[in-house]
Structure formats: C-alpha cells, structure tokens
C-alpha cells in the first residue's frame, strides 16, 4: 500500500471525519483550479481505491486503481471538486485545510 513518489504540492493526506484518511487542500484552491490527476493502472474489478471513468460520454466504464494521493478523495453529496476524466478540479474556492470531496455518483 505505497504511494507514488511524485509529490502534489496542492494537497496532503490526513485523518478524515468522513472516512479513514482523506485528501485536504494545502492552501486555498480557487474555483476551476486543477487539483491533481488520478494515477493508476487500468483494472476490471472494483477495489477500495478504484475510480470508475467513462472512456467517452455514454461509453464503457474503465477502472483505475489509484496509486497517488488522489485516491484518498472521499464522497460527498455536496462535493467541492469534480472529476473530468482523471483530472480533478475545484468546483468552488476550497479553503486551506478543507477536505477535498467528489460525488462518487452513487444512488444511496
């Protein structure tokens, strides 16, 4: 369970009030800011750090097993970030030390 060594200065990992560990803003991230890129090998089975992405709108879903800090993003129904493919962007200004969350798209 190791992370890649390329360091993203935008974020850090810490204990999360949502679940386990989470991803947090190292400094103010303005709306529209690229926060980071989800990195990992393509996989066909789900797992704890697998992000599912449509290869094209209406296309097939491809899983990526996260190997960098972006794998620690937790779910929120009111997320402050969103994925565009494997790129993660701030939906609104994210203050320093706020947890970065995305909507996993679950129908709870």
């Amino acid at each position: 369970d190791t992370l890649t060594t390329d360091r993203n200065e935008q974020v850090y990992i810490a204990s999360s009030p949502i679940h386990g560990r989470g991803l947090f803003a190292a400094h103010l991230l303005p709306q529209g800011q690229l926060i980071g890129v989800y990195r990992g090998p393509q996989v066909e089975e789900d797992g704890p750090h697998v992000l599912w992405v449509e290869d094209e709108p209406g296309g097939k879903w491809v899983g990526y097993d996260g190997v960098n800090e972006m794998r620690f993003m937790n779910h929120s129904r009111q997320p402050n970030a969103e994925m565009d493919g494997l790129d993660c962007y701030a939906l609104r200004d994210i203050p320093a030390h706020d947890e970065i969350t995305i909507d996993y798209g679950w129908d709870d």
Side-chain angles (χ1 to χ4, degrees):
D1 193 34
T2 59
L3 294 172
T4 58
T5 56
D6 56 334
R7 176 95 173 94
N8 180 344
E9 300 296 328
Q10 308 280 3
V11 296
Y12 65 92
I13 300 161
S15 181
S16 167
I18 297 171
H19 175 78
R21 293 187 283 175
L23 191 69
F24 293 82
H27 53 81
L28 172 68
L29 300 173
Q31 180 178 356
Q33 168 82 41
L34 174 65
I35 297 169
V37 179
Y38 202 94
R39 301 224 187 272
Q42 283 190 17
V43 295
E44 294 183 14
E45 293 185 17
D46 205 7
H49 298 291
V50 174
L51 176 70
W52 292 95
V53 178
E54 277 185 297
D55 61 356
E56 60 185 60
K60 80 173 200 169
W61 289 90
V62 178
Y64 294 89
D65 193 3
V67 297
N68 64 354
E69 66 282 324
M70 300 304 289
R71 73 185 191 182
F72 291 103
M73 289 182 292
N74 282 315
H75 167 75
S76 173
R77 288 188 180 181
Q78 288 87 36
N80 55 15
E82 69 179 345
M83 299 302 296
D84 181 6
L86 296 176
D87 298 335
C88 180
Y89 293 93
L91 282 172
R92 57 182 178 272
D93 289 355
I94 303 173
H97 312 297
D98 273 15
E99 185 165 2
I100 297 165
T101 58
I102 60 173
D103 184 345
Y104 290 171
W106 295 337
D107 292 324
D108 294 326

